[in-house]
Amino acid sequence: PHKFPVKSAPTLLICLYDFGDTPVNFVNNWLDLVKTHPEVVVAIPEAAGGTPGNPWGPGTADLVTAIIDDAVARDHVNPKHVILVGAGQGADAGGAIVGEYPNRFVGFADIGPDFPAALFTPALKDSSANLAIYYASTNRSHAITLPSATSKQLADFGFKPPALARVTDPINLLVEMCDINGAITQDQFKFRVTRLMRFFDDVLAKNDMNEATVSAAQNAGSPDAPSLN
């Protein structure tokens, strides 16, 4: 990361692993992405302060925000290009963090059996964040629709359930079904990494284009310049 010039402003992916996994093992899921996306910085923190059944303790939010601040200052990542990715219980912890600090992320990816209810917070609803979400369900019962409670929450937050296709207004959402029985394999996970990065590549390109359009209009003094909020 230290080799990036300031003008490159790379994207930051913070990845939280599932119960039973380790940072050393989890990093293997991201090696191909690093090779194909040299403009991406991947951070995989080690869980701490959790319980025997859940590695991510109450200090995880502070750890993640500290990683963002450090990466912006040291590695010159774009603070508007920060994506949090979680697998299993890492997704549960990640959803809670994004729900608490929605304006610090442009995207959230969940690879696991359940969509984290902790994401749905007043902070997210009241924020101006245009959050993009990629959800790869590893639960076959989600093949056609999400659970009714989650579908209602999605609708309350601007999603269009059952959300099986991309939605671009007001929040980007892509939900996909993993045809999996039991635990997800490393090859299956790597495939989802490719899928989620393709989705976020499109999201970031669109956001950057919109921001450039707004900036150009504002610099030109146009009274009709759209707002980013």
Side-chain angles (χ1 to χ4, degrees):
H2 63 278
K3 296 181 180 179
F4 284 107
V6 174
K7 65 180 180 179
S8 295
T11 295
L12 173 64
L13 266 68
I14 303 175
C15 309
L16 308 182
Y17 51 86
D18 196 5
F19 169 72
D21 213 339
T22 66
V24 174
N25 182 59
F26 197 56
V27 74
N28 293 323
N29 296 318
W30 303 92
L31 293 178
D32 293 342
L33 174 67
V34 172
K35 294 175 183 177
T36 58
H37 286 70
E39 76 286 1
V40 172
V41 174
V42 176
I44 303 176
E46 184 171 4
T51 65
N54 186 346
W56 300 103
T60 304
D62 292 337
L63 173 62
V64 167
T65 54
I67 290 172
I68 297 172
D69 293 338
D70 183 64
V72 170
R74 185 189 64 185
D75 302 323
H76 312 301
V77 303
N78 188 336
K80 296 181 181 180
H81 284 197
V82 179
I83 300 166
L84 186 58
V85 183
Q89 290 181 339
D92 293 338
I97 295 169
V98 175
E100 186 175 358
Y101 302 103
N103 290 307
R104 304 222 57 179
F105 304 94
V106 69
F108 171 60
D110 174 356
I111 302 175
D114 299 300
F115 197 92
L119 178 69
F120 302 110
T121 64
L124 176 62
K125 197 162 190 176
D126 294 341
S127 77
S128 59
N130 184 27
L131 188 69
I133 297 176
Y134 173 87
Y135 173 40
S137 172
T138 58
N139 187 333
R140 283 193 172 190
S141 67
H142 296 192
I144 305 301
T145 60
L146 294 167
S148 57
T150 301
S151 293
K152 182 180 185 304
Q153 289 171 318
L154 289 168
D156 290 343
F157 279 75
F159 296 107
K160 300 175 182 177
L164 295 180
R166 185 174 304 165
V167 178
T168 57
D169 185 26
I171 302 177
N172 299 293
L173 173 67
L174 181 60
V175 176
E176 295 186 325
M177 178 60 201
C178 301
D179 189 16
I180 295 168
N181 260 335
I184 187 170
T185 67
Q186 187 171 87
D187 285 344
Q188 290 168 332
F189 196 99
K190 285 182 176 181
F191 175 73
R192 291 301 155 189
V193 168
T194 301
R195 294 285 296 165
L196 73 86
M197 201 63 229
R198 186 179 302 166
F199 170 63
F200 285 122
D201 279 343
D202 291 343
V203 168
L204 296 176
K206 185 195 72 174
N207 288 356
D208 288 346
M209 184 177 299
N210 289 344
E211 186 169 330
T213 300
V214 170
S215 179
Q218 291 173 342
N219 291 337
S222 169
D224 299 323
S227 171
L228 283 174
N229 293 326

